[in-house]
Amino acid sequence: PEELWTMNSSRTSVGGVSCTSSAMELLDAANRFGVVGVKLLAESKVVQSDIAVDTASDLLLYADSNDCALLKEKVVDFFLLHAEQIRKTPEFQKVKESNTILDELMEALLSKRVYRMFPLGENDVDYSSMGVNLLRKKLGERGLDVDGSREMLIHRLTLEDQAARSRDTTDDGSNVASLAQAYSLLGNNGNVGR
C-alpha cells in the first residue's frame, strides 16, 4: 500500500543514513529480520527517492554492509555522475575509510561501466555485464535466492550453470550429451550399415 511509503515525511536517520522516506526505515527493518520480499520492494523504493549528493556516501556504505545490491549499483551509478559534489560532502570521509569501496568506485569510474537491464538471448551467461534487476530475474526464474550482494548473485548463477553442465555430462545414457557421444561412436551420422 502507498501509505507505507508516505507515512513519514520528516528527516530521520536509519542505519546511519539520513533520509526522508519510510522506505529506508522499512528496508532496514526487513533486512534486520530477513524478510526478503519486503527488503527488495523497500530497496527499489529507496533507489527511486533517497539517492542525493548528501545521502550517497551513507547509502553506499549501508548498501555494501547490508547486501543491498540494487541500491549499491544505483548509488555507484549516481556517484559516477556526481563524484565531484559527493567528494566535497562530510559524509564522504567515511567512504574514504574503506579501501574496498574506494577501489570499486575507482573501477567504476575508469571502466565507465554500464550494466545491461535486458537479456541477450535465452542462453545469456555474461553475468558480469548484467544489472542487479536482470540477475535477480534470472535467479528467480531458476527458483534460486534473489537476495545478496551483486557478487553473490553472480556466484549463485555461475554455480547453477556448472551444476547444469555437470548434469548434462553424466553417463546415465538418458541425456542429449550421452546420445550425441553414442551417435559419434557409430559414425555416418548415426546411420548403421549404410
Side-chain angles (χ1 to χ4, degrees):
E2 282 303 311
E3 300 83 47
L4 281 175
W5 314 117
T6 58
M7 65 185 175
N8 180 9
S9 60
S10 62
R11 187 164 283 281
T12 60
S13 179
V14 177
V17 179
S18 177
C19 63
T20 56
S21 81
S22 57
M24 189 65 203
E25 294 172 9
L26 194 56
L27 172 61
D28 196 52
N31 192 49
R32 189 173 313 137
F33 295 106
V35 185
V36 175
V38 175
K39 174 186 174 181
L40 299 180
L41 180 62
E43 183 182 17
S44 70
K45 291 291 188 176
V46 170
V47 163
Q48 294 170 16
S49 63
D50 277 332
I51 302 174
V53 169
D54 64 329
T55 62
S57 295
D58 287 336
L59 282 172
L60 180 59
L61 293 168
Y62 180 88
D64 184 65
S65 66
N66 291 285
D67 290 330
C68 297
L70 179 64
L71 179 58
K72 185 175 180 181
E73 179 179 282
K74 297 302 180 185
V75 172
V76 170
D77 290 346
F78 185 85
F79 184 91
L80 296 177
L81 297 172
H82 304 283
E84 194 170 327
Q85 299 100 309
I86 294 169
R87 288 184 61 234
K88 292 177 183 175
T89 65
E91 294 83 9
F92 187 71
Q93 294 304 314
K94 292 181 255 177
V95 172
K96 288 170 50 175
E97 295 173 12
S98 171
N99 291 335
T100 304
I101 293 178
L102 281 176
D103 187 49
E104 289 177 34
L105 288 172
M106 185 64 81
E107 183 179 320
L109 279 167
L110 293 174
S111 69
K112 296 178 176 50
R113 65 143 205 209
V114 176
Y115 292 126
R116 293 185 286 120
M117 296 185 300
F118 55 88
L120 295 177
E122 197 171 302
N123 297 322
D124 183 12
V125 293
D126 184 11
Y127 304 127
S128 62
S129 70
M130 294 180 186
V132 170
N133 280 333
L134 182 55
L135 292 168
R136 286 179 173 166
K137 180 180 179 197
K138 286 190 153 293
L139 286 162
E141 289 170 350
R142 297 177 186 193
L144 299 172
D145 185 12
V146 297
D147 190 23
S149 69
R150 174 181 177 67
E151 294 77 17
M152 291 167 64
L153 302 178
I154 291 171
H155 183 70
R156 216 170 278 139
L157 285 165
T158 304
L159 286 178
E160 176 66 18
D161 289 346
Q162 290 171 350
R165 280 193 300 276
S166 176
R167 287 188 299 267
D168 287 344
T169 58
T170 59
D171 292 326
D172 65 1
S174 65
N175 59 45
V176 174
S178 296
L179 289 174
Q181 185 178 16
Y183 280 121
S184 70
L185 292 174
L186 290 173
N188 296 326
N189 294 325
N191 297 323
V192 180
R194 289 190 186 174

